Amino acid sequence: MPVHGYDIASAVVLQMLNGGDGDDRRGPRARGLGPGEPVPHGVQPVLVTPSTVYGTVQVEAIVRNWPTGTLPAPWLIVVADVPARPAVAARYRLRALGGRLAGTAYLPYLPALRSAERPEDALADAAVARAAVQLRAQLEGK
């Protein structure tokens, strides 16, 4: 579920998790949730945020109110918004939240996201397709 709004990065991550880069052997594996929509029983929640301080503040608010015991801890996917490390304040929050998450996966800056009209357009880019394979492997523990 996107942390603050559905944008191209969130749409591409959803397609990445579904194997939209040509690796669709198992069919759809992920679906986005709207604001206030409950997490379905028996699924692994995934939060998606840009690598900005604002994005990490939003993640902190969600994780702080996460219903421990009733839902599994969420994975966090941090999508780089620029070709540089996140700001110091963002890195600090990500480290501080690490113990409350199932894991954190980082997607590098992907220039194709800036010019894509649709997620499928971005996934046609070789760098995005490689990032998708690496992301799925990380979330699946391979």
Side-chain angles (χ1 to χ4, degrees):
M1 68 184 94
V3 170
H4 67 86
Y6 194 71
D7 60 1
I8 189 65
S10 299
V12 169
V13 167
L14 182 62
Q15 290 295 320
M16 286 176 163
L17 296 177
N18 277 330
D21 58 334
D23 181 14
D24 54 2
R25 294 170 285 194
R26 291 186 272 177
R29 293 172 263 185
R31 75 177 182 89
L33 297 178
E37 189 176 348
V39 176
H41 180 70
V43 301
Q44 174 62 58
V46 176
L47 303 173
V48 180
T49 190
S51 60
T52 61
V53 172
Y54 179 78
T56 60
V57 167
Q58 299 302 306
V59 168
E60 181 179 23
I62 291 170
V63 172
R64 189 176 288 180
N65 296 313
W66 195 260
T68 57
T70 58
L71 289 175
W75 265 90
L76 176 61
I77 300 175
V78 180
V79 181
D81 64 318
V82 295
R85 294 175 63 189
V88 173
R91 291 194 314 262
Y92 170 78
R93 273 195 181 81
L94 293 171
R95 276 192 313 273
L97 294 171
R100 301 174 107 185
L101 299 167
T104 303
Y106 293 89
L107 280 179
Y109 175 69
L110 299 166
L113 297 184
R114 292 183 51 81
S115 60
E117 290 183 16
R118 300 171 302 138
E120 298 81 18
D121 299 339
L123 286 163
D125 182 78
V128 176
R130 279 191 306 275
V133 170
Q134 292 169 349
L135 177 63
R136 281 194 307 274
Q138 187 172 358
L139 268 62
E140 294 171 358
K142 296 179 182 176

